[in-house]
Amino acid sequence: ETVPSYSETEAKAELGVSEWSGGEPSRSHLERKWTRPTIEVVGMGGGFQGEGIKTVLPARASAKLSSRLVPGQTPHRALELVTAHLQAQAAKLPGVRVNVSELTYKAQPYYAPADSPGNAAATRALRREYGAEPVLYRIGASIPAVGMFMEHLGVPTTIFAFGEQDNRAHSPNEFYRAASMLRCRRLYSAILP
């Protein structure tokens, strides 16, 4: 579903890019951002890191990758595929070897059906609070507990929040208004039976 206030042009301007790079060209930016698998380089190092320069080739380099999975994927299989791809690329370069270390942090992909009882209760509470029909949409995130709730309890999880565009979520200047916290507390209480 379309988010009424979203503008790709404004999103590109805010990030300082002229085009979206990566991802599936046949998918919209929001679809790639919210519902498609991702792989990100979240850290890398190698070579001389001190002040100034040194004209040496690094003997080692490292990168830390993170991936968002979607239903139908598993952490184990995704790791196998990424490892095989990296090793195949390294094999094309003389003297290059790839070693992959698996971190213990993993989460199963999760998808909440739009018509779940929790979503219906949240829709009613949001409609009462704002006097308008809420927009339901999927969003890509890593919240391991919701997958565990589904796997072990068979219970779909409903998530809604009250962040605002200028809150700068996950940035160095992230903040959250006290008024949003109060609204959140009131509405989460309203959806409980």
Side-chain angles (χ1 to χ4, degrees), residues 12-28:
K12 287 177 188 175
E14 182 180 354
L15 294 172
V17 299
S18 58
E19 293 299 323
W20 301 122
S21 62
E24 302 155 286
S26 62
R27 309 281 185 157
S28 73

Side-chain angles (χ1 to χ4, degrees), residues 158-170:
T158 293
I159 297 172
F160 61 103
F162 299 92
E164 298 173 54
Q165 184 67 27
D166 67 344
N167 290 163
R168 312 301 295 167
H170 302 307

Side-chain angles (χ1 to χ4, degrees), residues 15-175:
L15 294 172
V17 299
S18 58
E19 293 299 323
W20 301 122
S21 62
E24 302 155 286
S26 62
R27 309 281 185 157
S28 73
H29 173 252
L30 283 181
E31 192 175 12
R32 291 189 309 244
K33 180 178 173 180
W34 288 346
T35 67
R36 304 301 296 161
T38 66
I39 188 163
E40 307 87 34
V41 177
V42 295
M44 61 175 32
F48 177 67
Q49 300 291 320
E51 205 170 308
I53 63 167
K54 289 194 180 194
T55 55
V56 296
L57 295 176
R60 303 180 76 132
S62 65
K64 189 176 285 193
L65 305 179
S66 175
S67 182
R68 179 180 69 218
L69 306 181
V70 297
Q73 296 180 311
T74 66
H76 177 75
R77 182 68 177 140
L79 180 63
E80 283 181 343
L81 292 170
V82 169
T83 299
H85 175 75
L86 293 174
Q87 289 175 340
Q89 297 308 306
K92 298 175 185 178
L93 303 168
V96 174
R97 291 189 327 263
V98 170
N99 296 313
V100 175
S101 300
E102 179 179 3
L103 299 177
T104 56
Y105 176 80
K106 295 181 210 54
Q108 294 295 328
Y110 171 76
Y111 170 74
D115 61 353
S116 72
N119 282 349
T123 296
R124 288 190 299 275
L126 290 164
R127 189 184 300 124
R128 278 194 306 272
E129 177 74 16
Y130 292 100
E133 198 63 29
V135 175
L136 299 177
Y137 61 91
R138 292 171 61 184
I139 187 163
S142 295
I143 307 174
V146 296
M148 292 177 194
F149 292 156
M150 184 56 95
E151 180 183 355
H152 297 291
L153 303 174
V155 177
T157 301
T158 293
I159 297 172
F160 61 103
F162 299 92
E164 298 173 54
Q165 184 67 27
D166 67 344
N167 290 163
R168 312 301 295 167
H170 302 307
S171 73
N173 297 323
E174 179 176 13
F175 72 94

